[in-house]
Amino acid sequence: MSSTLTPAAGPAPAARHNLVLVVTCLALGTVVAAMASLNVALPDLARETHATQTQLSWIIDAYSLVFASLLLPAGALGDRFGRRRALLAGLAIFGAGSGAAALSSDPATLIALRGVLGVGAALVMPATLSTITSTFPRAQRARAVSVWAAVAGASALVGLFATGALLEGWSWRSVFLLNVVLALVAFVGTLLFVPESAEPKQPRLDTGGALLSVAGLVLLVYSVIEAPTRGWADPVTLTGIGLGLAVLAGFVVFELRRENPLLDPRLFRNRPFAAGSLSIMLQFFVFFGFIFVMMQYLQLVRGDSALMAATSMLPMALTMVPVSRAAPVLVGRFGFRGPWVAGLVGVAVGMGVLSRLDASSPYWLIATGLVPLGAGMGLAMTPATTAITDALPRSLQNVGSAMNDLARELGGALGIAVLGSLLSATYRGHLTLPGLPPQVAEAARSSLAAAHAVGGPVSARATTAFVDGMHLALLGAAGAALLAALAVAALLRSARRPEAPAEAPAPAPDTDTRKQPSYH
């Protein structure tokens, strides 16, 4: 099968390709920025909505949980019914949910509306990459994917900066209003410039697989996110994680027996595809976990304003974007394996440097860690993304894109939960408060912000305990990046670059493209 629309080469189509790239990257940047931007606004949200610490966590994490859980079925729906339609529907849901959130002041309502935004984002993100890979000729695809990867990586940092700037003059509601404006612009651009592409003859949606994948991911991610509050040894946490893993194992068995699976587990026999999926997940485990920890360090330990904290991240973005654009050239000269592994090692080095920060560290030390972190992310993202998309035939581009995006969002959600848990557990364990009333001591142990409210020696001890927890969390992130580097090096040890599936002739009407062995 082929996409319903693939422009021919030539000057006019090239201009059309650029417009498609701009619009899809704007849509992508809008939903990716929403992953991290509210981290800067949490103090504002707490003051105005009186949200508890757990509610604040869920205002952030409800988006990631729904986003990650729905990516695979959303990708399959876009593949069958049209990527442009999926993009338009997702932007409409995202924009409407953001508008409602800007008018709300109840924490529970905000949590629910962030979940609605996650539904829209799940439709948008896979449609952006699959539109690029199904519309651009192969000769231009690597360049377009490198732009997409740069936007995907840098948008979270741009979102942090935009939020910090908005909070200088307006309230947290302005963050949601910005979402509305961006979604509206992307919606109009999609209507005007983005062609439809779909695989209408695809088999019906694998409803059983979709339900199993959503149930397993919800159980697993929910349990991991709740672990910092309940404790990793809590029976509810362990039961939830066990059930989530069991349901996901059932999903794999179910998919292996399906004639037309939502995601064929045999795809992971393709080493570049497996390497790309694992690398993306661990890269964003590190990235979003780092943002979660670092925003607290900058604002609560260093005392930076929201804008200053966001601006402090600029060396990462300024390094990530040009390196990501240069990655295809390096891959073309040295092959996938060398630059990819070097990028992951750079991420580990950056996290190792940042793990040495303390309350009195100068900014140049922060920048020294951010530069290799940004360069490493930029260098590793493009080959990892290309490995996933090039491993699949055109008819499965939306599923491949959804797998790429699932790895990002699931890695981000787990990174926030796991690194946040390491930070929280160390903070509580290292904070000794003899002589304080139990209620005051427990309040101080609940968060560094609460300890600062108590003041005096409690605040100083809490800062030291927080920095101890940050050291452990960032060292854990460095370990995850090194694990990714070793795994990619092993999986690609016999390949210079992933081989794209051949463009076979269109199959007969009764032939199922998913059964073709070229991508297994």
Side-chain angles (χ1 to χ4, degrees):
M1 294 174 212
S2 61
S3 297
T4 59
L5 177 59
T6 303
R16 177 69 172 239
H17 290 152
N18 289 334
L19 288 171
V20 170
L21 185 61
V22 169
V23 171
T24 52
C25 285
L26 174 61
L28 169 71
T30 299
V31 300
V32 172
M35 282 280 294
S37 58
L38 276 189
N39 280 290
V40 185
L42 287 180
D44 224 14
L45 276 166
R47 285 190 296 267
E48 292 196 26
T49 68
H50 307 290
T52 66
Q53 188 62 48
T54 299
Q55 287 173 322
L56 290 173
S57 297
W58 273 110
I59 289 171
I60 299 295
D61 290 330
Y63 182 77
S64 302
L65 177 57
V66 175
F67 198 166
S69 299
L70 295 182
L71 271 169
L72 282 179
L77 287 171
D79 194 26
R80 180 178 176 83
F81 296 109
R83 291 139 188 168
R84 182 173 180 264
R85 291 189 182 94
L87 191 53
L88 289 170
L91 288 168
I93 293 170
F94 185 89
S98 296
L103 301 175
S104 176
S105 58
D106 176 62
T109 303
L110 280 173
I111 292 168
L113 288 171
R114 284 278 288 176
V116 171
L117 267 65
V119 175
L123 287 165
V124 168
M125 194 171 191
T128 59
L129 183 56
S130 57
T131 294
I132 291 171
T133 56
S134 63
T135 301
F136 278 70
R138 182 170 294 278
Q140 301 178 23
R141 197 176 300 165
R143 178 189 66 85
V145 168
S146 73
V147 174
W148 186 95
V151 171
S155 292
L157 296 176
V158 174
L160 291 175
F161 181 78
T163 300
L166 287 171
L167 292 176
E168 289 292 301
W170 295 281
S171 77
W172 57 269
R173 299 177 193 276
S174 61
V175 180
F176 289 106
L177 292 176
L178 178 62
N179 286 345
V180 174
V181 173
L182 293 175
L184 180 61
V185 174
F187 187 93
V188 173
T190 300
L191 281 175
L192 294 177
F193 304 118
V194 175
E196 183 62 278
S197 61
E199 307 299 335
K201 295 183 180 179
Q202 285 284 8
R204 295 180 61 184
L205 177 66
D206 175 16
T207 306
L211 291 174
L212 283 172
S213 67
V214 170
L217 287 172
V218 166
L219 279 169
L220 180 61
V221 176
Y222 176 88
S223 300
V224 173
I225 289 173
E226 281 290 304
T229 300
R230 293 181 177 274
W232 284 97
D234 185 86
V236 174
T237 300
L238 295 176
T239 300
I241 292 174
L243 285 174
L245 292 174
V247 173
L248 290 176
F251 166 75
V252 172
V253 173
F254 181 83
E255 295 296 274
L256 287 171
R257 296 177 178 177
R258 290 282 295 176
E259 185 178 359
N260 303 305
L262 180 69
L263 176 66
D264 192 342
R266 297 177 187 86
L267 289 171
F268 292 94
R269 293 177 182 173
N270 183 302
R271 288 189 172 193
F273 182 87
S277 301
L278 179 62
S279 177
I280 288 290
M281 187 177 75
L282 290 178
Q283 283 173 246
F284 282 84
F285 175 98
V286 172
F287 182 74
F288 281 107
F290 163 72
I291 292 295
F292 180 77
V293 172
M294 198 65 176
M295 284 298 103
Q296 296 180 71
Y297 167 77
L298 291 171
Q299 294 184 77
L300 297 176
V301 174
R302 288 176 60 90
D304 293 344
S305 67
L307 179 58
M308 182 59 68
T311 304
S312 297
M313 297 291 100
L314 281 179
M316 188 197 306
L318 294 175
T319 309
M320 184 188 302
V321 173
V323 172
S324 179
R325 294 299 307 277
V329 177
L330 296 174
V331 167
R333 180 172 182 180
F334 300 106
F336 267 57
R337 188 169 181 256
W340 191 346
V341 172
L344 293 169
V345 171
V347 172
V349 169
M351 298 309 298
V353 171
L354 291 165
S355 72
R356 308 321 305 157
L357 296 173
D358 57 34
S360 59
S361 294
Y363 178 73
W364 66 261
L365 183 58
I366 298 174
T368 300
L370 291 176
V371 168
L373 176 58
M377 288 288 293
L379 190 56
M381 272 193 299
T382 296
T385 301
T386 304
I388 295 173
T389 58
D390 277 4
L392 300 178
R394 182 178 294 173
S395 61
L396 289 181
Q397 282 302 304
N398 223 32
V399 174
S401 300
M403 184 64 225
N404 174 72
D405 302 335
L406 171 62
R408 291 171 184 266
E409 307 315 320
L410 184 59
L414 292 174
I416 291 170
V418 173
L419 299 185
S421 179
L422 290 173
L423 171 64
S424 178
T426 306
Y427 172 75
R428 293 178 68 90
H430 287 205
L431 182 56
T432 56
L433 300 170
L436 279 182
Q439 297 90 338
V440 177
E442 184 56 32
R445 289 192 183 96
S446 67
S447 70
L448 180 57
H452 284 335
V454 175
V458 172
S459 179
R461 291 177 182 175
T463 297
T464 301
F466 181 92
V467 170
D468 290 343
M470 184 182 73
H471 289 166
L472 182 60
L474 298 186
L475 283 175
L482 282 177
L483 175 63
L486 292 173
V488 169
L491 287 167
L492 300 184
R493 63 182 179 275
S494 60
R496 181 172 174 81
R497 59 169 291 155
E499 295 295 333
E503 294 289 346
D510 61 345
T511 301
D512 180 6
T513 306
R514 291 176 187 255
K515 298 177 188 175
Q516 299 302 312
S518 61
Y519 62 88
H520 283 179

